[in-house]
Amino acid sequence: MPKMKTKSGAKKRFKITGTGKIKRKHAYKSHILTKKTKKRKRNLTKFDVVHKSNLESVKKQLALK
């Protein structure tokens, strides 16, 4: 059985932390920023952890499991 390939789009979007969690960036920060508040834009800049409902899908794309 050949090795599973990593999806190249996923490897650009996700990073694995030291404890094994998967980090992601927030969406909605690329355009139409004039109507969004400073607080909202600032909070969208921060990283977040992938939700458990999407975790298996992301791991499969990263060929982790």
Side-chain angles (χ1 to χ4, degrees), residues 15-29:
K15 298 280 181 243
I16 301 167
T17 64
T19 56
K21 295 176 185 173
I22 301 174
K23 291 194 309 184
R24 67 168 179 88
K25 292 275 280 187
H26 282 279
Y28 308 111
K29 184 72 192 334

Side-chain angles (χ1 to χ4, degrees), residues 7-57:
K7 299 281 185 191
S8 60
K11 69 184 172 188
K12 296 171 192 173
R13 288 172 171 81
F14 301 106
K15 298 280 181 243
I16 301 167
T17 64
T19 56
K21 295 176 185 173
I22 301 174
K23 291 194 309 184
R24 67 168 179 88
K25 292 275 280 187
H26 282 279
Y28 308 111
K29 184 72 192 334
S30 58
H31 60 95
I32 313 175
L33 299 172
T34 53
K35 62 176 80 169
K36 295 172 188 159
T37 63
K38 289 179 184 178
K39 180 180 180 180
R40 183 172 164 194
K41 289 186 280 192
R42 184 172 62 245
N43 288 333
L44 289 173
T45 302
K46 299 171 184 171
F47 279 91
D48 199 9
V49 178
V50 173
H51 194 266
K52 64 181 179 181
S53 61
N54 298 322
L55 198 57
E56 286 303 315
S57 172

